[in-house]
Amino acid sequence: MTKQAPWSRDEFEAKLRAKGEYYHIYHPFHVAMNKGECSQEQIQGWVANRLFYQLAIPVKDAGIMANCWDLQTRRKWIQRILDHDGDPEDTTLGGIEAWLRLGEAVGLHREDMLNERFLLPGVKFAVGAYINFTRKASWEEAACSSLTEMFAPEIHQSRLDTWPTHYKWIDPEGFSYFQMRLNQARRDVQHGLEITLDHFETRKQQERALNILQFKLDVLWSMADSISLAYEFNRKPFGAVTDENISHKGFM
């Protein structure tokens, strides 16, 4: 069997970027949100469940750093943790606090969000799969999985452009998360791309990178599926047997 030649650096990057076709911005639930077609309960359900993902991001990044022996990479990567947890020496909101304020802006209580009152098991399982992958994979592979950030600025800008018009009941102060992530995501992409393009050199490795990125896209799409099933089609977990919110708490 003839060994396939690796793609050039430009070809490889183009194939990574082409994965944007499968980003969750194209999920029917996200399309409906950006068209102004979601109810307040649906918006609240999305915000409450996405908080679990926001909480997991610095845990994921800490796992990447724990596996990384490269000093320069750790010095850059640690900024991602500070972006989400908040930097005590900086007055800028951390991503988690900004998301909690988004929750309050859509009418949720932060205690309910932090106590997982509305958290769906499907969302929890998808996020857990991502955390487990980044802990067990090499740091280069885990960094590659973060490249869904390539597609994030578009979705953040779309919300900033449409939500103030479609959802006038949302306090505009809640939109700060989307605004802050526009520049942060672009900065993170440059670093993640550099790592990926440098590390995945053979054709087999490059195909592995594409599969890793697809895995992360699967995680995000699966989260949207769970939220859509519960809040769009009224099929919440255990809804056939109880009106209570029944699911396990925390990571298991």
Side-chain angles (χ1 to χ4, degrees):
M1 181 181 295
T2 303
K3 188 175 181 180
Q4 291 181 304
W7 293 303
S8 70
R9 194 176 181 90
D10 288 343
E11 288 173 328
F12 182 29
E13 180 176 343
K15 289 182 180 297
L16 290 166
R17 291 188 180 278
K19 283 291 184 179
E21 296 179 34
Y22 311 109
Y23 194 49
H24 61 173
I25 192 174
Y26 301 113
H27 191 284
F29 189 81
H30 282 274
V31 172
M33 273 201 299
N34 289 337
K35 286 183 177 180
E37 297 173 354
C38 284
S39 67
Q40 182 172 1
E41 182 187 17
Q42 289 170 334
I43 295 291
Q44 289 175 336
W46 176 75
V47 172
N49 277 275
R50 283 282 300 191
L51 173 65
F52 193 68
Y53 178 77
Q54 304 304 324
L55 293 170
I57 289 174
V59 176
K60 173 267 295 185
D61 289 324
I64 292 175
M65 290 182 63
N67 290 332
C68 179
W69 285 84
D70 183 71
L71 173 62
Q72 298 304 322
T73 297
R74 293 198 306 271
R75 282 176 171 169
K76 287 185 179 181
W77 206 273
I78 196 171
Q79 184 60 50
R80 297 174 185 240
I81 296 177
L82 296 175
D83 286 343
H84 282 83
D85 282 347
D87 185 343
E89 298 181 1
D90 189 344
T91 58
T92 304
L93 282 180
I96 291 172
E97 176 60 27
W99 196 271
L100 285 167
R101 294 189 187 188
L102 171 62
E104 292 172 330
V106 302
L108 295 168
H109 297 291
R110 68 171 54 208
E111 293 79 10
D112 290 337
M113 289 186 282
L114 291 170
N115 291 335
E116 302 183 8
R117 178 178 175 184
F118 306 107
L119 184 58
L120 301 167
V123 170
K124 185 176 291 188
F125 291 145
V127 173
Y130 182 40
I131 292 295
N132 286 333
F133 170 79
T134 57
R135 284 175 174 169
K136 295 176 181 178
S138 69
W139 68 267
E140 294 96 341
E141 289 187 333
C144 174
S145 72
S146 74
L147 286 181
T148 49
E149 290 284 8
M150 288 190 293
F151 323 122
E154 179 182 357
I155 201 170
H156 294 322
Q157 189 63 59
S158 178
R159 291 166 188 153
L160 289 168
D161 291 342
T162 62
W163 281 32
T165 300
H166 294 320
Y167 306 111
K168 295 181 183 298
W169 50 270
I170 300 179
D171 184 343
E173 292 293 323
F175 298 139
S176 61
Y177 177 86
F178 307 137
Q179 186 65 54
M180 64 191 286
R181 285 303 298 165
L182 286 174
N183 291 329
Q184 290 174 352
R186 292 187 180 102
R187 177 206 64 207
D188 293 345
V189 164
Q190 292 305 311
H191 188 210
L193 257 180
E194 180 183 332
I195 292 169
T196 300
L197 296 175
D198 286 345
H199 177 73
F200 296 88
E201 297 181 309
T202 69
R203 182 65 167 271
K204 183 176 181 180
Q205 289 173 331
Q206 291 170 336
E207 290 175 347
R208 167 72 173 164
L210 291 172
N211 197 42
I212 289 170
L213 185 53
Q214 184 61 54
F215 161 72
K216 176 62 181 305
L217 292 164
D218 293 349
V219 167
L220 296 174
W221 198 277
S222 295
M223 290 171 59
D225 278 344
S226 293
I227 295 168
S228 175
L229 187 63
Y231 289 95
E232 188 176 8
F233 295 98
N234 298 313
R235 294 289 296 275
K236 294 182 180 179
F238 309 105
V241 294
T242 181
D243 291 331
E244 296 181 40
N245 179 34
I246 302 295
S247 64
H248 67 284
K249 302 295 184 182
F251 278 113
M252 300 295 289

